[in-house]
Structure formats: C-alpha cells, structure tokens
Amino acid sequence: MTTLWLVTSRSFDNSGMPTVTMIGGGQLARMTHQAAVALGQRLRVLAERPDDPAAQVTPEVVLGSHTDLTALRKAAVGSYALTFDHEHVPTDHLEALVAEGVNVQPPPRALIFAQDKLAMRRRLAEFGAPVPAFTAVESVRDAVGFGDEHGWPVVLKAVRGGYDGRGVWMVDDAEQAAAIAGEQLAHGVRLLAEQKVSLRRELSAMVARSPFGQAAVWPVVETVQRDGQCAVVIAPAPELSEDLAAQAQSLALRLAAELGVTGVMAVELFETHDGALLVNELAMRPHNSGHWGMDGAVTGQFEQHLRAVLDYPLGDTTPLAPVTVMANILGAPNAPEMSMDERLHHLFARLPEARVHLYGKGERPHRKIGHVNILGDDVARVREKAERAAHWMSHAEWTDGWDPHDEH
Ligand SMILES: Nc1ncnc2c1ncn2[C@@H]1O[C@H](COP(=O)(O)OP(=O)(O)OP(=O)(O)O)[C@@H](O)[C@H]1O
Ligand SMILES: [Mg+2]
C-alpha cells in the first residue's frame, strides 16, 4: 500500500528538467551540483546539516541522515534518479527504495562492492581480477595466522566504513596484529587481513557507465598519498607504459560491466615494483582521483556522473593538456590568521593559471577543504606549482619563501 507513493508522475521539474537526488552533502555533492547547473538542473541533496558543503549551494536540501529510511524516502520523492556522494547508505534501505520504485544508481547489488571490502575482494578474486592475498579475520588467531603464512607486515582493514585511511592498520608483527585485531573485534568491527603490497606507486582508473551500457574511461592517473590520504593526483600517470595503462582501463571497464555499476567508478590500483597491477578498492561515486578532470578534461567526472545516472550519452574524456596536476588543500595543523579570501587574492596574483575549487568547509588539520588544478606541459613544473598553490591556500606560506614585497 505504501509501495506506490514514491512513483510520482513528477520526475521532472517545472522547466521539464529531471531532478537527481544525491545522498550526502559533502564536496562531491557540491561539485556535482555545479555540473548540474550547466545541464539546466538543480541537484537535490540529503544533507545532515544546513552548512554542509552542498547544502550551502543548492536550494533543494532535505535535512536528515542517510541511515534513516524516512529521510531517504523524502529525498527521493519526485526525483528521476537517486545517487550518492559516499558509500555508507545501508543496502537494506536501498533495496526498500528500489522495491518502492526509486531509480537507485548505482543499484545496491553493485554498490555493495564499494561498501564491503571483503565482499569486493571475494568477488574480484572470483572474476580473476588481480587482488592482494587476503582473508576474513574473525578472531585474533585468523590475523596472526595470515601474517605467519604470508609473511609480515600485513594490513588489517575494517570491512566497512573506512575512509581517508581510517580503518586501515599497517601491522608489523604477530604482537601488533593481536593487539589491533583484539581491540577492533571487541568493538564489533569486522576485519580482513591482506598482504602488504610492496608498491611502486598508486594509480586510479576511472570509468563511467550508464544503465544503457555505454561506458567511457579517462586516462589512468597517479595518486600520491600522504598519511593514508590522497594529496596529489597526476593525470595522466607519468611514465606509465601503454600496455599497463590499457590493462588498467580494460580492467575498469570490465569490472563496471560485470558488477553492473552505473555512474562513475574509481578503481584504486597498486602498481608493484615488478610492473603488475592489483586492485585496492572501488569507489562508486565521484572520487578525489577524478577532480583533475573538472579543468583538465573535455568532460569531468561530475558532469559524467550525472549523464550516466540520467542515461544520457556520455561525454568525451579527452584531456585538455599534456598534464594536469590536482593538489588537495588540506587543513594546516594550525589554521593561519590570514583569511581564506586574502589567501585566494594572493594566490591569483602569483598564479593566474591556478584553477581553485573551495568546498565551503571550516579548517581543521588534514581536512580536505578544497583543491587546485594546474594544466601544463612539464610534469615536474606543473606538480610543483599545484603543490605550492595548495600549500599556500592551507598554510598561508609559500614553500619557496617567495615574498611579494621583495619583488621590484
Ligand atoms: N594491501 C596494502 N598494501 C600496501 N598499502 C596499502 C594496502 N592497503 C591499503 N594501503 C595503503 O593505505 C591507503 C588507504 O587504504 P584504503 O584505500 O583501503 O582505505 P580507505 O580509508 O578506504 O581509503 P580512501 O582514502 O580511499 O577512502 C591506500 O591508499 C594505500 O596507500
Ligand atoms: Mg582508498
């Protein structure tokens, strides 16, 4: 009886354009709204607070929690498709919405592999996709046994709910493994153990796929992590062989099709010292490794995600420059006294080519509060500029000691 109320005739707004609802009001939703504006739409968001990054900019805000089915229903009413800026919506809720006629993209049967690292590892292993050796950890003995068998160090991970390196523990020996596994299991955290990969670097292969089945990939990028968090992205990945790039792209296309992914998906990859690829994890939403494309590709990930969930034809993913570097603006240990407005003013005076994206977030140590994209020809120079610009924006310090008052 309650099953029909969501299937309204009003999937389109008064101007005849569809409304997409995104669950989560963070920066990914904010930048998706920015892309929606160009397509004649407004993004509706389910945000926890009125000052969340996306809630500040779209008029279509439903306040509530992504774990509350009533709030999810309210956000879905009359929207053409429902999608996500994070992977934390319980799949039971999503199944309920699907049963009530909501067009959930990506569907819960695909999303589960971005939510649950153990389900993802098992499914990918079944496909024959390359993954590190892993095992479920249900007891301290499982964790210690895995390390003894595969060699120390190992990585322990929370099966669900990790982000920005939270929920990931590098473990050197049996004693540490016992301590961490014991503590986490006692708190009801489900765990897995995997081999610590000796990696040359981390890569990301981003793909978009529509319900119709059209798919498009961007060039494979290198992601540089600091303290378990993405700091810099270089597009395309420097000195990546054509063969490895093609392998990564076909893997992303294959996974998207086999898992039934819709919208954009980032396939986080490890490149090993002997030139092999291993899948780290999947993100079925716009991802930090795709921010470069806002300025550096014909079609960026945010517009592509909307096109994909709306089942529009996908956009051209060709880069606009030989290299684009994205540097995250990460909150400094102590927020500078200089206002963000003044920092921006100085940045633009020094680097007019910097493309800045600010998320409207308060400054806290390590928090992602924005990013800078720089396009150019020479990887080292472009990277230096992008990192210098991002550091300036968070610390109000030039890494090369530059002082405008010294200039004559
Ligand atoms: N098996 C591994 N071997 C070596 N390093 C690893 C391994 N697993 C994770 N890492 C390192 O830890 C980082 C975070 O791990 P992972 O991506 O699984 O966690 P997350 O918190 O879900 O990530 P995100 O920051 O993408 O939200 C990786 O980017 C990588 O640098
Ligand atoms: Mg990750």
Side-chain angles (χ1 to χ4, degrees), residues 110 207-209 215 251-263 265 267:
V207 57
R209 184 172 172 276
L251 179 63
L253 287 164
R254 195 175 127 223
L255 291 177
E258 299 213 36
L259 301 174
V261 176
T262 50
M265 172 170 73
V267 181

Side-chain angles (χ1 to χ4, degrees), residues 30-367:
R30 179 180 171 109
M31 292 184 276
T32 307
H33 172 63
Q34 187 176 344
V37 171
L39 304 185
Q41 304 168 17
R42 312 195 276 203
L43 188 74
R44 184 185 301 162
V45 300
L46 177 68
E48 305 235 3
R49 284 178 303 273
D51 64 346
D52 281 348
Q56 294 170 21
V57 294
T58 173
E60 298 257 359
V61 183
V62 175
L63 288 177
S65 162
H66 59 270
T67 57
D68 175 2
L69 183 55
T70 309
L72 292 166
R73 285 189 172 123
K74 198 170 157 201
V77 174
S79 58
Y80 180 93
L82 182 124
T83 187
F84 311 96
D85 102 330
H86 58 71
E87 35 261 335
H88 306 310
V89 183
T91 31
D92 287 352
H93 288 0
L94 296 176
E95 296 289 3
L97 294 175
V98 170
E100 291 164 11
V102 177
N103 177 22
V104 177
Q105 306 285 349
R109 66 170 187 284
L111 193 65
I112 184 83
F113 301 110
Q115 295 186 328
D116 184 312
K117 288 181 180 176
L118 189 58
M120 178 272 292
R121 286 264 175 271
R122 286 182 170 143
R123 186 63 180 272
L124 264 54
E126 257 172 49
F127 283 159
V131 292
F134 69 97
T135 192
V137 171
E138 276 155 19
S139 64
V140 165
R141 191 195 299 183
D142 289 343
V144 174
F146 180 84
D148 286 342
E149 186 186 340
H150 293 269
W152 302 94
V154 301
V155 185
L156 288 176
K157 290 187 177 181
V159 168
R160 283 176 177 263
Y163 70 99
D164 287 349
R166 282 174 237 197
V168 174
W169 299 271
M170 303 292 166
V171 172
D172 290 329
D173 52 34
E175 196 184 328
Q176 263 188 22
I180 292 167
E183 189 189 343
Q184 295 302 320
L185 292 169
H187 285 94
V189 177
R190 289 178 57 221
L191 294 175
L192 67 98
E194 62 187 36
Q195 196 182 2
K196 183 166 182 201
V197 177
S198 156
L199 44 98
R200 178 174 170 228
R201 58 177 171 176
E202 296 186 55
L203 304 172
S204 170
M206 274 209 88
V207 57
R209 184 172 172 276
S210 67
F212 178 75
Q214 192 193 6
V217 279
W218 283 270
V220 176
V221 302
E222 176 174 344
T223 63
V224 181
Q225 330 285 320
R226 285 185 199 129
D227 303 324
Q229 192 185 27
C230 175
V232 175
V233 171
I234 309 166
E239 290 161 38
L240 183 66
S241 72
E242 262 177 53
D243 178 46
L244 220 52
Q247 268 184 48
Q249 289 178 318
S250 22
L251 179 63
L253 287 164
R254 195 175 127 223
L255 291 177
E258 299 213 36
L259 301 174
V261 176
T262 50
V264 296
M265 172 170 73
V267 181
E268 293 183 9
L269 296 161
F270 298 138
E271 182 184 343
T272 64
H273 287 290
D274 45 10
L277 295 176
L278 295 170
V279 178
N280 176 29
E281 61 168 345
L282 308 176
M284 294 178 202
R285 52 170 171 77
H287 187 256
N288 203 163
S289 67
H291 290 357
W292 69 275
M294 294 176 86
D295 302 299
V298 175
T299 311
Q301 63 169 347
F302 298 101
E303 176 170 329
Q304 196 79 306
H305 186 68
L306 285 168
R307 291 199 198 202
V309 302
L310 288 159
D311 221 1
Y312 286 163
L314 299 179
D316 183 349
T317 54
T318 307
L320 296 171
V323 55
T324 301
V325 175
M326 188 273 342
N328 279 334
I329 303 173
L330 299 169
N334 296 303
E337 270 174 37
M338 188 188 291
S339 71
M340 194 55 96
D341 168 56
E342 197 178 343
R343 282 177 250 167
L344 196 56
H345 189 126
H346 284 289
L347 176 72
F348 287 158
R350 188 172 180 199
L351 289 171
E353 67 273 48
R355 308 287 309 155
V356 179
H357 302 271
L358 295 174
Y359 306 156
K361 286 161 84 169
E363 294 179 76
R364 286 210 295 266
H366 306 297
R367 194 179 199 201

